[in-house]
Amino acid sequence: MKKQIVLLLIVGVFVMCSSATAEIWTNGTGNGLWSDAGNWDGVSFPGTYWITDPALGTATISGSYAASSTGYAVLGQGIAGVAAVEINDTSSLTVSGPFYVGNAAGAGAIAEIRLNDSAQLSTTGAIGWIELGQIGGDNRLIATGNSQINADYAVFVGNWAGSTGSVDLSGFASLTTADFNVGISGIGNVDIADSASLNVSGGIRLGTYVAGASFGTMNVNGGAVTSGLSEIGVDEGGLLQLIGGTYDTGLLDIGDVGSVLLSGSTVTATDLNLNLAGSLAVTGGSMTILGIDKTAELGLWEALGQFSGSYAFDGTDTVITPEPATMALMAIGGLAALRRKRR
């Protein structure tokens, strides 16, 4: 993973040095349309896109467009305000390479991609990634409705020190990728709600790479998350809050600076590992460790103060639920709320 990130940084530096051949957003016609060649200043259209000046307005995509086969796109190069791309209706943007959101952005800058309705955003190929927060700024990816995001290689949220990145999926929006990394050298936050979905064939990693500078948070309030692996705070700080919906993963690996708070989701995992200072607290919902008896390890983690909850092996799987006292308190709280409502 660290080799991949080093490659990413090197390619990012190359991108910043290559703007001379890019299409620069000018909004020359004033209509704000991505499809209008009169809104771009460059050698060819379509080509490699740079959106740099927030005063020129949001680039709105209506239709289907692709960057060149060797291209990339940059949103918010060196900005000091708000730069945005909005993809609406059934429109789509495909980038055959990386999409950098927030590239050398200034303090207080915001770079934002918004997908609505049934819009689609894709990055394809061996370096087909989406990067939120290369250098500085607050960098956002927001998807609602039935929109779809596909990144062949990876998604990086909060990639460089001094930057923040966020992903917000709601409605029936979906994001599909090979690897999903949150808080690499910066700060990353992910919110999943309603019936949205996050589908990761490789691994979800919260908090990686740079000592003391990064933190990754994921809040699952609804919808569905699937991943081949989940690493929470293995390298740097990571927090996974499971409030609703479902979360299905291979190994759930909670590192020395990782915490998982389960208060309402239904979780399944092929294995569970809790490192020296990691923590797992179960106050609602349930977690099933498939095909393994983990009661001995859970008992040890409980004695060390790293785990709280109730657990049992049913002969096939290990099932983790809230402690009976916690469930009783929740039931009492529910009854009290019902009485207040009736009054």
Side-chain angles (χ1 to χ4, degrees):
M1 183 60 202
K2 291 184 179 179
K3 289 181 179 179
Q4 295 173 342
I5 294 170
V6 170
L7 172 62
L8 176 63
L9 301 183
I10 293 171
V11 174
V13 171
F14 171 76
V15 167
M16 288 187 289
C17 296
S18 305
S19 60
T21 60
E23 288 284 342
I24 308 296
W25 174 257
T26 64
N27 197 17
T29 68
N31 62 18
L33 295 178
W34 182 285
S35 57
D36 195 328
N39 290 329
W40 299 90
D41 180 15
V43 178
S44 63
F45 181 83
T48 296
Y49 305 119
W50 289 68
I51 300 177
T52 61
D53 188 346
L56 299 175
T58 297
T60 301
I61 296 179
S62 297
S64 297
Y65 302 97
S68 62
S69 60
T70 58
Y72 49 83
V74 178
L75 170 61
Q77 167 69 18
I79 65 169
V82 180
V85 171
E86 186 166 295
I87 311 175
N88 296 318
D89 303 320
T90 58
S91 303
S92 66
L93 173 64
T94 300
V95 180
S96 300
F99 197 155
Y100 298 92
V101 182
N103 194 55
I110 297 173
E112 184 173 284
I113 305 175
R114 301 189 292 266
L115 289 87
N116 305 302
D117 308 313
S118 297
Q120 296 184 41
L121 171 65
S122 300
T123 57
T124 63
I127 55 172
W129 64 64
I130 299 172
E131 181 183 335
L132 299 162
Q134 182 159 334
I135 303 176
D138 182 4
N139 312 286
R140 307 167 182 173
L141 175 58
I142 301 169
T144 63
N146 289 287
S147 56
Q148 298 179 14
I149 302 164
N150 297 282
D152 280 357
Y153 182 78
V155 174
F156 300 92
V157 186
N159 198 53
W160 280 38
S163 68
T164 63
S166 64
V167 174
D168 190 339
L169 305 176
S170 62
F172 291 89
S174 67
L175 191 160
T176 301
T177 188
D179 279 292
F180 193 77
N181 307 278
V182 184
I184 300 93
S185 296
I187 306 299
N189 187 77
V190 178
D191 286 295
I192 301 168
D194 304 327
S195 297
S197 62
L198 172 63
N199 311 293
V200 183
S201 58
I204 292 173
R205 297 173 180 87
L206 308 182
T208 65
Y209 195 52
V210 175
S214 63
F215 197 95
T217 302
M218 180 181 291
N219 305 300
V220 182
N221 295 285
V225 177
T226 59
S227 180
L229 166 72
S230 296
E231 294 182 345
I232 315 301
V234 171
D235 293 319
E236 289 301 320
L239 172 63
L240 175 60
Q241 299 191 98
L242 300 165
I243 303 161
T246 62
Y247 192 100
D248 300 318
T249 184
L251 169 65
L252 176 56
D253 189 7
I254 306 172
D256 293 342
V257 281
S259 297
V260 175
L261 306 178
L262 172 56
S263 61
S265 302
T266 300
V267 181
T268 59
T270 60
D271 201 355
L272 172 66
N273 183 47
L274 197 55
N275 288 285
L276 291 175
S279 65
L280 169 62
V282 180
T283 60
S286 66
M287 179 182 296
T288 302
I289 312 301
L290 301 171
I292 302 176
D293 182 356
K294 299 292 291 188
T295 55
E297 290 96 327
L298 287 163
L300 174 60
W301 295 328
E302 186 176 32
L304 292 172
Q306 295 176 257
F307 166 75
S308 61
S310 181
Y311 53 91
F313 181 64
D314 64 8
T316 303
D317 307 318
T318 301
V319 180
I320 304 172
T321 56
E323 294 175 342
T326 301
M327 296 180 69
L329 287 172
M330 292 174 64
I332 292 169
L335 288 171
L338 181 61
R339 289 194 186 100
R340 286 195 297 271
K341 185 176 181 180
R342 286 177 176 173
R343 289 174 184 172

